[in-house]
Amino acid sequence: MGKIKKKFSEGSSRTYTTRNRALRKLQVSLADFRRLCILKGIYPVEPRSQKKANRGSSKPTTFYYAKDIQLLLSEPLIAKFREHKIFLRKLQRALGKDDLTRAKGLEARRPEYTLDHLVIERYPAFVDALRDLDDALCMVFLFATMPTVSKVNNEIVEDCKRLSTEFMHYVIHSHSLRKVFLSIKGIYYQAEIQGQSITWIVPYQFSQNVPLDVDFKVMATFLQFYRTLLGFVNYRLYTTSNLSYPPKVDQSMDDSAAGLGSLRIEAKRVEDLIKGVQSSDTTSVPEVTMSKQMKQRMDTLGSKIKKIVAADTTTPAYESVGSGEADGDVDDETRQSGNLLFGKQVFFLSREVPRYSLEFVVRAFGGRLGWDQTSGGGSPYAENDRAITVQISDRPVQGHQFLDRIYVQPQWVYDSINARRLLDVEDYLIGQPLPAHLSPFVEYEEGDYVPEAASKLAAAAGFEGEVTNLKPEDRDQSEDEDEDAEEAADIDGASADEDAPDSDEEDEEDEDAIAEKQHQKQLLAERAGVSFSEYQQKQGAKPKPKAVAGKKRTKAEVEEEERQKIAISMLSKKKRKVVNRTQADAYKKAKDVNTLKTRKAQATAKPVKSAKGKKN
């Protein structure tokens, strides 16, 4: 006789655990458990059988992996949370007794904790942190534009502004911005950093009303971890680019609303690098035991670093906009590359355009710019400067114009970035109706609806693909049979007896589907106010959509059609369903494309002028 196993000792009941059991095991409150799960990156899971995972109970509940809960037992943050609760009780007791001296002493000894170990634990490699940076940037940029209210602390908002500005400065310095899209929700940006595509959204800088139905406690917990993560990422990006971190803030420029120009990004000096290497080596290896060869290498390190810095001409020298020398040392060949699209342009921003976005994208692509004094201080170019080549304005009428520059609307900048070339300015002149602002994140496939503007951009860029041919016409019988042949060619011919064990289930599914269709037809007949037999007769009298007259097919095409039909009939029932489902999806896709074409034709059609009647 085998050993009797204890109930619920293996299987799903041991792999998963409920939230209530996790709270009893960790001896924490529900709020602290949520904070721990958010900070540690532990999320609820859905077991295959909830009844087995819940030890025979069918009551709906939240499940977690038992190993994740076991991992939380050794988390030092639990002790920090308990210390903070004890501190709050002592502080409340002191304030209740009006003991202000004790309350001040407790406030000075407030327990604090950091999340540095969690960042290292969750992201052992720097590439992992870059892959997971999208949500962090969205959250930080959101709180950077939030107003200071009771639910949002002023220190948190200022820290988010600092972190977001530092990241934008690195994107400008590395010229890693790739795509920009203006949507209703905000402005989408995509940058490519160390081979990783990072996409985030920045809200428009409008006055915001803080909603009352948002749980800011949960968002604050996420933001606490994201701020720590972004601080680590910014430090690593700056140090690998030989930039000093944190960047210095020019307080006078910041007070005058200089924006990105208030930060001073400086490269590390060669002397500082040598001192850092020497200090690290002397602390680890005594000077007495240092060999002569090591001393010689240290003596020549300064000259080698100077040679490397002098030879590195691909990375332009970076300074603040306020100095007016942001890209002055960059050669013309580097400016003509894709990352320096505006390398030869000097922009001037009128006061009505979004300066916070245009300054970022223009400088990220190597351009220089100035702005109106009412938009903020620190502008290196005045409006009457002769070096300005392009002025961005969003007013249909200009009070005065300079003949040596081009006046365009802001969309020209964003569309040129997405097209990776300077577009023709005729469609973007002041007062002209703007073309469609297409999303650069959409990739068109064969059969998709391609807007006319996308086809024009692809043709202007010299694309020799099938963009202009991605316009499926009306579906006729020959096209249906061609698609059937393509689908059937990719599927191995198998007999219908291969899936015999599943035939009963498939028959039940077919019967259910037929019954559902019959019920729908009866409802339609009842809605039309006729009997079901009359409704069927009317439906049968209607011409089928596939009976569209087309060109006469050749004998070879007819034989190929028959051969493909025979090949499909030899497939198993399950594989025939796959082929039919694929054909139905293709038909629905073509139908949607044709619907969009019809709507476009109706929208662009000129209205017919009706004849005016004579008055009696």
Side-chain angles (χ1 to χ4, degrees):
M1 182 177 177
K3 184 179 180 180
I4 300 177
K5 295 182 180 180
K6 189 177 180 181
K7 197 174 183 181
F8 307 126
S9 61
E10 61 180 12
S12 299
S13 60
R14 189 174 180 86
T15 304
Y16 304 97
T17 182
T18 62
R19 188 175 64 182
N20 292 332
R21 289 201 293 266
L23 293 177
R24 289 195 298 268
K25 190 172 186 178
L26 296 174
Q27 293 296 312
V28 295
S29 62
L30 180 59
D32 291 342
F33 178 73
R34 287 175 177 172
R35 292 175 63 190
L36 283 173
C37 290
I38 292 173
L39 296 177
K40 294 282 289 186
I42 297 174
Y43 301 99
V45 293
E46 187 70 21
R48 180 174 297 179
S49 176
Q50 292 190 4
K51 189 173 182 180
K52 292 181 180 179
N54 203 12
R55 300 180 180 180
S57 176
S58 59
K59 184 179 180 180
T61 183
T62 305
F63 294 93
Y64 294 87
Y65 281 118
K67 290 185 177 180
D68 293 341
I69 304 303
Q70 187 69 25
L71 181 65
L72 289 178
L73 287 173
S74 59
E75 177 57 45
L77 285 178
I78 297 179
K80 294 293 184 181
F81 290 166
R82 290 170 180 166
E83 291 179 5
H84 192 265
K85 285 186 176 181
I86 295 172
F87 159 76
L88 291 179
R89 285 200 297 267
K90 291 181 179 180
L91 182 62
Q92 189 175 5
R93 189 181 300 114
L95 293 176
K97 295 180 179 180
D98 291 336
D99 192 353
L100 299 181
T101 304
R102 179 175 174 79
K104 290 181 180 179
L106 289 173
E107 184 65 29
R109 299 189 302 271
R110 175 186 288 269
E112 297 179 356
Y113 60 91
T114 59
L115 306 179
D116 300 347
H117 66 286
L118 293 181
V119 176
I120 300 175
E121 177 184 336
R122 293 179 61 175
Y123 307 107
F126 184 63
V127 179
D128 300 332
L130 291 178
R131 292 196 190 106
D132 202 21
L133 200 61
D134 296 354
D135 293 338
L137 287 174
C138 293
M139 183 74 76
V140 170
F141 275 93
L142 172 63
F143 274 83
T145 59
M146 290 283 286
T148 303
V149 293
S150 58
K151 295 183 179 180
V152 182
N153 193 2
N154 185 28
E155 297 179 357
I156 296 177
V157 174
E158 293 298 328
D159 190 39
C160 291
K161 289 181 180 179
R162 177 184 62 84
L163 292 172
S164 59
T165 307
E166 290 174 359
F167 182 79
M168 293 170 69
H169 267 288
Y170 175 79
V171 174
I172 293 173
H173 171 77
S174 59
H175 303 292
S176 55
L177 189 63
R178 294 295 178 266
K179 298 177 181 179
V180 186
F181 178 62
L182 306 178
S183 70
I184 299 177
K185 297 180 180 180
I187 305 176
Y188 285 89
Y189 298 101
Q190 186 179 87
E192 186 175 351
I193 300 176
Q194 298 186 8
Q196 303 297 324
S197 296
I198 303 173
T199 307
W200 72 98
I201 181 172
V202 179
Y204 294 109
Q205 289 188 346
F206 298 143
S207 59
Q208 300 183 10
N209 295 325
V210 179
L212 301 177
D213 56 346
V214 176
D215 192 355
F216 279 91
K217 291 184 179 179
V218 177
M219 296 184 67
T221 306
F222 277 103
L223 183 63
Q224 185 181 12
F225 177 77
Y226 288 154
R227 286 162 54 196
T228 307
L229 171 62
L230 189 55
F232 271 87
V233 171
N234 286 346
Y235 172 78
R236 179 65 181 272
L237 293 176
Y238 273 67
T239 52
T240 53
S241 299
N242 193 26
L243 300 176
S244 59
Y245 187 85
K248 299 179 181 179
V249 180
D250 192 339
Q251 195 60 39
S252 61
M253 297 281 288
D254 191 19
D255 295 339
S256 61
L260 296 176
S262 60
L263 287 186
R264 297 293 180 181
I265 310 298
E266 299 177 352
K268 291 184 179 180
R269 297 181 301 175
V270 178
E271 294 79 4
D272 297 338
L273 294 175
I274 297 175
K275 289 180 181 179
V277 173
Q278 288 179 347
S279 61
S280 61
D281 289 341
T282 52
T283 53
S284 59
V285 181
E287 190 176 357
V288 180
T289 59
M290 185 179 293
S291 61
K292 295 181 179 180
Q293 184 179 2
M294 181 62 71
K295 289 183 179 180
Q296 292 177 357
R297 294 179 62 185
M298 290 297 299
D299 294 338
T300 59
L301 180 61
S303 59
K304 290 182 179 179
I305 293 178
K306 289 181 180 179
K307 291 180 181 179
I308 293 174
V309 174
D312 189 8
T313 58
T314 58
T315 303
Y318 184 91
E319 292 186 9
S320 177
V321 173
S323 61
E325 301 173 356
D327 297 310
D329 299 333
V330 186
D331 53 357
D332 293 339
E333 295 181 359
T334 308
R335 291 184 183 276
Q336 293 176 359
S337 63
N339 295 344
L340 297 180
L341 184 65
F342 305 127
K344 295 183 178 181
Q345 307 295 331
V346 179
F347 295 82
F348 186 83
L349 309 180
S350 299
R351 63 177 182 270
E352 71 276 1
V353 300
R355 175 198 154 198
Y356 66 96
S357 175
L358 289 171
E359 181 183 1
F360 171 57
V361 298
V362 167
R363 291 182 58 185
F365 282 87
R368 291 170 290 174
L369 77 162
W371 50 86
D372 193 84
Q373 294 181 357
T374 58
S375 301
S379 175
Y381 298 98
E383 187 176 4
N384 57 357
D385 198 321
R386 293 184 176 274
I388 298 174
T389 58
V390 179
Q391 182 165 344
I392 303 176
S393 179
D394 205 10
R395 286 174 290 175
V397 179
Q398 300 292 318
H400 59 278
Q401 291 187 359
F402 296 90
L403 300 179
D404 56 349
R405 68 183 65 171
I406 302 173
Y407 288 81
V408 294
Q409 301 184 53
Q411 186 178 329
W412 177 79
V413 177
Y414 301 109
D415 289 349
S416 297
I417 291 174
N418 297 332
R420 306 296 295 169
R421 62 185 179 85
L422 296 178
L423 298 177
D424 191 1
V425 298
E426 292 183 359
D427 297 334
Y428 301 90
L429 296 177
I430 301 299
Q432 294 290 335
L434 292 171
H437 180 56
L438 302 176
S439 172
F441 301 99
V442 177
E443 296 181 359
Y444 301 102
E445 299 178 356
E446 187 173 358
D448 291 343
Y449 173 76
V450 181
E452 185 179 357
S455 302
K456 289 181 179 180
L457 287 176
F463 180 72
E464 299 179 356
E466 300 180 356
V467 174
T468 56
N469 297 329
L470 297 184
K471 298 179 180 179
E473 303 296 336
D474 294 336
R475 186 182 176 92
D476 55 6
Q477 185 175 2
S478 61
E479 292 176 352
D480 294 345
E481 292 162 357
D482 292 340
E483 292 179 1
D484 295 350
E486 293 176 359
E487 295 293 340
D490 297 335
I491 303 177
D492 297 331
S495 62
D497 299 333
E498 291 180 353
D499 300 319
D502 300 334
S503 60
D504 297 338
E505 298 178 0
E506 294 173 357
D507 293 340
E508 292 178 0
E509 294 177 359
D510 293 342
E511 292 177 0
D512 295 339
I514 292 173
E516 181 65 23
K517 291 181 179 178
Q518 192 79 357
H519 180 62
Q520 294 293 334
K521 290 181 180 179
Q522 291 176 359
L523 292 177
L524 293 175
E526 183 179 355
R527 182 181 299 176
V530 296
S531 62
F532 182 63
S533 58
E534 294 178 358
Y535 179 79
Q536 282 185 327
Q537 292 178 0
K538 290 181 179 180
Q539 291 294 323
K542 289 183 178 181
K544 296 182 179 180
K546 291 187 178 181
V548 180
K551 63 179 182 179
K552 188 176 181 180
R553 292 175 295 173
T554 61
K555 184 179 180 181
E557 293 177 349
V558 175
E559 292 178 355
E560 182 68 17
E561 173 192 348
E562 295 295 334
R563 187 188 67 81
Q564 292 168 359
K565 287 184 178 180
I566 294 174
I568 294 176
S569 65
M570 295 177 63
L571 295 175
S572 63
K573 192 172 184 179
K574 185 180 292 185
K575 292 183 179 180
R576 284 201 304 271
K577 283 187 176 181
V578 174
V579 174
N580 294 333
R581 191 180 301 114
T582 305
Q583 293 175 356
D585 293 341
Y587 175 73
K588 184 177 181 300
K589 187 176 182 180
K591 186 177 180 181
D592 294 341
V593 170
N594 291 328
T595 302
L596 292 174
K597 285 183 175 182
T598 305
R599 290 179 180 176
K600 178 186 176 182
Q602 294 176 354
T604 56
K606 295 182 179 179
V608 180
K609 296 183 179 179
S610 59
K612 297 181 179 179
K614 297 182 179 180
K615 295 182 180 180
N616 295 328

